[in-house]
Amino acid sequence: MIRTVGRGLLALFLTALPALAEDLTATLPDGTELARLTMPDGAGWCVLWHHSVQGFEVQDCYRNQEGRMVLERSHQPDFAAGLGHLPGRGQQISDGAGGYWIEDIGEPVPGDAYLLRPGTMAVNHRIVTSDRDVSLSALAPRARVLIALQPGKTE
């Protein structure tokens, strides 16, 4: 009986604690931090850029799922070079304007990080959240940038 009550109290205590927030970071190879965005469990962000040939905006949207970076969906306004839906990887749905969303991708990003080489401002690679818009192209055009979801810094 005591053991059961003890477990119940421990479970109640643990659920009352705030979830550990992760940070989405963008850093250069030398460790220079370009951006740090608090990204609690369940929060999402998109990486947007203009297609280098067609010029329209493309977006890949991610979510923090229990500390993992997961690609959720992608918006592609056209079937231009380098774009397209792969059967079995999410569902292609019309956006009603000639383009399409690929929904329900649910693909964990290996290591919760990837390298991106932002283009010039004509391409304008950006990380966008509900309240921030960070242009990696303005901060580090043509540089190698590591985008990573990692445990938050403690102050």
PDB file of all heavy atoms in Angstrom, residues 36-53:
ATOM      1  N   ARG A  36      19.302  31.430 -31.518  1.00  0.00           N
ATOM      2  CA  ARG A  36      18.877  30.480 -30.482  1.00  0.00           C
ATOM      3  C   ARG A  36      17.421  30.793 -30.179  1.00  0.00           C
ATOM      4  O   ARG A  36      17.096  31.896 -29.765  1.00  0.00           O
ATOM      5  CB  ARG A  36      19.726  30.594 -29.222  1.00  0.00           C
ATOM      6  CG  ARG A  36      19.268  29.655 -28.099  1.00  0.00           C
ATOM      7  CD  ARG A  36      20.216  29.693 -26.911  1.00  0.00           C
ATOM      8  NE  ARG A  36      21.507  29.119 -27.247  1.00  0.00           N
ATOM      9  CZ  ARG A  36      21.803  27.809 -27.129  1.00  0.00           C
ATOM     10  NH1 ARG A  36      20.912  26.964 -26.684  1.00  0.00           N
ATOM     11  NH2 ARG A  36      23.012  27.396 -27.454  1.00  0.00           N
ATOM     12  N   LEU A  37      16.561  29.825 -30.440  1.00  0.00           N
ATOM     13  CA  LEU A  37      15.128  30.002 -30.245  1.00  0.00           C
ATOM     14  C   LEU A  37      14.630  28.936 -29.273  1.00  0.00           C
ATOM     15  O   LEU A  37      14.876  27.741 -29.492  1.00  0.00           O
ATOM     16  CB  LEU A  37      14.391  29.854 -31.581  1.00  0.00           C
ATOM     17  CG  LEU A  37      14.880  30.788 -32.678  1.00  0.00           C
ATOM     18  CD1 LEU A  37      14.797  30.124 -34.033  1.00  0.00           C
ATOM     19  CD2 LEU A  37      14.079  32.043 -32.678  1.00  0.00           C
ATOM     20  N   THR A  38      13.951  29.345 -28.218  1.00  0.00           N
ATOM     21  CA  THR A  38      13.387  28.381 -27.279  1.00  0.00           C
ATOM     22  C   THR A  38      12.301  27.603 -27.998  1.00  0.00           C
ATOM     23  O   THR A  38      11.426  28.185 -28.640  1.00  0.00           O
ATOM     24  CB  THR A  38      12.808  29.093 -26.044  1.00  0.00           C
ATOM     25  OG1 THR A  38      13.865  29.820 -25.418  1.00  0.00           O
ATOM     26  CG2 THR A  38      12.228  28.110 -25.056  1.00  0.00           C
ATOM     27  N   MET A  39      12.373  26.280 -27.902  1.00  0.00           N
ATOM     28  CA  MET A  39      11.466  25.423 -28.642  1.00  0.00           C
ATOM     29  C   MET A  39      10.960  24.311 -27.721  1.00  0.00           C
ATOM     30  O   MET A  39      11.465  23.191 -27.737  1.00  0.00           O
ATOM     31  CB  MET A  39      12.226  24.829 -29.836  1.00  0.00           C
ATOM     32  CG  MET A  39      11.360  24.416 -30.980  1.00  0.00           C
ATOM     33  SD  MET A  39      10.302  25.685 -31.674  1.00  0.00           S
ATOM     34  CE  MET A  39      11.447  26.953 -32.152  1.00  0.00           C
ATOM     35  N   PRO A  40       9.960  24.610 -26.880  1.00  0.00           N
ATOM     36  CA  PRO A  40       9.454  23.583 -25.966  1.00  0.00           C
ATOM     37  C   PRO A  40       8.792  22.424 -26.719  1.00  0.00           C
ATOM     38  O   PRO A  40       8.460  22.558 -27.910  1.00  0.00           O
ATOM     39  CB  PRO A  40       8.446  24.336 -25.105  1.00  0.00           C
ATOM     40  CG  PRO A  40       8.090  25.551 -25.867  1.00  0.00           C
ATOM     41  CD  PRO A  40       9.251  25.868 -26.763  1.00  0.00           C
ATOM     42  N   ASP A  41       8.608  21.326 -26.024  1.00  0.00           N
ATOM     43  CA  ASP A  41       7.965  20.155 -26.613  1.00  0.00           C
ATOM     44  C   ASP A  41       6.639  20.566 -27.249  1.00  0.00           C
ATOM     45  O   ASP A  41       5.849  21.288 -26.647  1.00  0.00           O
ATOM     46  CB  ASP A  41       7.734  19.092 -25.531  1.00  0.00           C
ATOM     47  CG  ASP A  41       7.192  17.805 -26.112  1.00  0.00           C
ATOM     48  OD1 ASP A  41       7.595  17.424 -27.229  1.00  0.00           O
ATOM     49  OD2 ASP A  41       6.349  17.177 -25.444  1.00  0.00           O
ATOM     50  N   GLY A  42       6.432  20.149 -28.489  1.00  0.00           N
ATOM     51  CA  GLY A  42       5.205  20.463 -29.214  1.00  0.00           C
ATOM     52  C   GLY A  42       5.291  21.711 -30.074  1.00  0.00           C
ATOM     53  O   GLY A  42       4.447  21.914 -30.942  1.00  0.00           O
ATOM     54  N   ALA A  43       6.296  22.549 -29.844  1.00  0.00           N
ATOM     55  CA  ALA A  43       6.434  23.781 -30.630  1.00  0.00           C
ATOM     56  C   ALA A  43       6.982  23.468 -32.022  1.00  0.00           C
ATOM     57  O   ALA A  43       7.699  22.491 -32.219  1.00  0.00           O
ATOM     58  CB  ALA A  43       7.351  24.766 -29.914  1.00  0.00           C
ATOM     59  N   GLY A  44       6.647  24.337 -32.973  1.00  0.00           N
ATOM     60  CA  GLY A  44       7.086  24.111 -34.340  1.00  0.00           C
ATOM     61  C   GLY A  44       7.743  25.327 -34.954  1.00  0.00           C
ATOM     62  O   GLY A  44       7.636  26.438 -34.440  1.00  0.00           O
ATOM     63  N   TRP A  45       8.425  25.091 -36.056  1.00  0.00           N
ATOM     64  CA  TRP A  45       9.086  26.142 -36.823  1.00  0.00           C
ATOM     65  C   TRP A  45       9.189  25.681 -38.270  1.00  0.00           C
ATOM     66  O   TRP A  45       9.042  24.506 -38.575  1.00  0.00           O
ATOM     67  CB  TRP A  45      10.483  26.444 -36.270  1.00  0.00           C
ATOM     68  CG  TRP A  45      11.461  25.326 -36.463  1.00  0.00           C
ATOM     69  CD1 TRP A  45      12.360  25.172 -37.495  1.00  0.00           C
ATOM     70  CD2 TRP A  45      11.637  24.176 -35.629  1.00  0.00           C
ATOM     71  NE1 TRP A  45      13.078  24.014 -37.346  1.00  0.00           N
ATOM     72  CE2 TRP A  45      12.654  23.379 -36.202  1.00  0.00           C
ATOM     73  CE3 TRP A  45      11.032  23.734 -34.451  1.00  0.00           C
ATOM     74  CZ2 TRP A  45      13.081  22.170 -35.640  1.00  0.00           C
ATOM     75  CZ3 TRP A  45      11.452  22.533 -33.891  1.00  0.00           C
ATOM     76  CH2 TRP A  45      12.461  21.776 -34.486  1.00  0.00           C
ATOM     77  N   CYS A  46       9.416  26.636 -39.157  1.00  0.00           N
ATOM     78  CA  CYS A  46       9.600  26.309 -40.575  1.00  0.00           C
ATOM     79  C   CYS A  46      10.896  26.930 -41.073  1.00  0.00           C
ATOM     80  O   CYS A  46      11.318  27.983 -40.587  1.00  0.00           O
ATOM     81  CB  CYS A  46       8.446  26.829 -41.418  1.00  0.00           C
ATOM     82  SG  CYS A  46       6.852  26.062 -41.046  1.00  0.00           S
ATOM     83  N   VAL A  47      11.505  26.280 -42.030  1.00  0.00           N
ATOM     84  CA  VAL A  47      12.641  26.839 -42.769  1.00  0.00           C
ATOM     85  C   VAL A  47      12.078  27.191 -44.144  1.00  0.00           C
ATOM     86  O   VAL A  47      11.531  26.328 -44.836  1.00  0.00           O
ATOM     87  CB  VAL A  47      13.815  25.839 -42.856  1.00  0.00           C
ATOM     88  CG1 VAL A  47      14.926  26.407 -43.731  1.00  0.00           C
ATOM     89  CG2 VAL A  47      14.340  25.504 -41.464  1.00  0.00           C
ATOM     90  N   LEU A  48      12.177  28.469 -44.498  1.00  0.00           N
ATOM     91  CA  LEU A  48      11.632  28.973 -45.758  1.00  0.00           C
ATOM     92  C   LEU A  48      12.767  29.485 -46.632  1.00  0.00           C
ATOM     93  O   LEU A  48      13.786  29.966 -46.116  1.00  0.00           O
ATOM     94  CB  LEU A  48      10.661  30.132 -45.510  1.00  0.00           C
ATOM     95  CG  LEU A  48       9.289  29.807 -44.936  1.00  0.00           C
ATOM     96  CD1 LEU A  48       9.352  29.372 -43.503  1.00  0.00           C
ATOM     97  CD2 LEU A  48       8.389  31.008 -45.068  1.00  0.00           C
ATOM     98  N   TRP A  49      12.583  29.379 -47.928  1.00  0.00           N
ATOM     99  CA  TRP A  49      13.552  29.928 -48.877  1.00  0.00           C
ATOM    100  C   TRP A  49      12.878  30.088 -50.229  1.00  0.00           C
ATOM    101  O   TRP A  49      11.824  29.515 -50.485  1.00  0.00           O
ATOM    102  CB  TRP A  49      14.788  29.041 -48.988  1.00  0.00           C
ATOM    103  CG  TRP A  49      14.554  27.742 -49.697  1.00  0.00           C
ATOM    104  CD1 TRP A  49      14.761  27.481 -51.021  1.00  0.00           C
ATOM    105  CD2 TRP A  49      14.060  26.534 -49.139  1.00  0.00           C
ATOM    106  NE1 TRP A  49      14.427  26.184 -51.320  1.00  0.00           N
ATOM    107  CE2 TRP A  49      13.990  25.577 -50.175  1.00  0.00           C
ATOM    108  CE3 TRP A  49      13.653  26.157 -47.872  1.00  0.00           C
ATOM    109  CZ2 TRP A  49      13.540  24.289 -49.968  1.00  0.00           C
ATOM    110  CZ3 TRP A  49      13.210  24.866 -47.665  1.00  0.00           C
ATOM    111  CH2 TRP A  49      13.160  23.951 -48.702  1.00  0.00           C
ATOM    112  N   HIS A  50      13.495  30.889 -51.084  1.00  0.00           N
ATOM    113  CA  HIS A  50      13.004  31.071 -52.449  1.00  0.00           C
ATOM    114  C   HIS A  50      13.762  30.121 -53.371  1.00  0.00           C
ATOM    115  O   HIS A  50      15.001  30.083 -53.352  1.00  0.00           O
ATOM    116  CB  HIS A  50      13.179  32.527 -52.894  1.00  0.00           C
ATOM    117  CG  HIS A  50      12.278  33.446 -52.148  1.00  0.00           C
ATOM    118  ND1 HIS A  50      12.688  34.186 -51.074  1.00  0.00           N
ATOM    119  CD2 HIS A  50      10.959  33.707 -52.308  1.00  0.00           C
ATOM    120  CE1 HIS A  50      11.681  34.876 -50.597  1.00  0.00           C
ATOM    121  NE2 HIS A  50      10.619  34.610 -51.324  1.00  0.00           N
ATOM    122  N   HIS A  51      13.007  29.381 -54.169  1.00  0.00           N
ATOM    123  CA  HIS A  51      13.585  28.430 -55.114  1.00  0.00           C
ATOM    124  C   HIS A  51      14.553  29.172 -56.032  1.00  0.00           C
ATOM    125  O   HIS A  51      14.236  30.241 -56.560  1.00  0.00           O
ATOM    126  CB  HIS A  51      12.461  27.772 -55.916  1.00  0.00           C
ATOM    127  CG  HIS A  51      12.898  26.624 -56.747  1.00  0.00           C
ATOM    128  ND1 HIS A  51      13.388  26.790 -58.020  1.00  0.00           N
ATOM    129  CD2 HIS A  51      12.931  25.295 -56.479  1.00  0.00           C
ATOM    130  CE1 HIS A  51      13.685  25.594 -58.524  1.00  0.00           C
ATOM    131  NE2 HIS A  51      13.421  24.671 -57.609  1.00  0.00           N
ATOM    132  N   SER A  52      15.750  28.625 -56.212  1.00  0.00           N
ATOM    133  CA  SER A  52      16.802  29.336 -56.944  1.00  0.00           C
ATOM    134  C   SER A  52      16.491  29.542 -58.426  1.00  0.00           C
ATOM    135  O   SER A  52      17.024  30.455 -59.038  1.00  0.00           O
ATOM    136  CB  SER A  52      18.133  28.599 -56.800  1.00  0.00           C
ATOM    137  OG  SER A  52      18.028  27.291 -57.326  1.00  0.00           O
ATOM    138  N   VAL A  53      15.616  28.722 -59.005  1.00  0.00           N
ATOM    139  CA  VAL A  53      15.275  28.878 -60.420  1.00  0.00           C
ATOM    140  C   VAL A  53      13.940  29.599 -60.574  1.00  0.00           C
ATOM    141  O   VAL A  53      13.843  30.605 -61.278  1.00  0.00           O
ATOM    142  CB  VAL A  53      15.232  27.506 -61.127  1.00  0.00           C
ATOM    143  CG1 VAL A  53      14.783  27.656 -62.580  1.00  0.00           C
ATOM    144  CG2 VAL A  53      16.585  26.819 -61.055  1.00  0.00           C
TER     145      VAL A  53
END
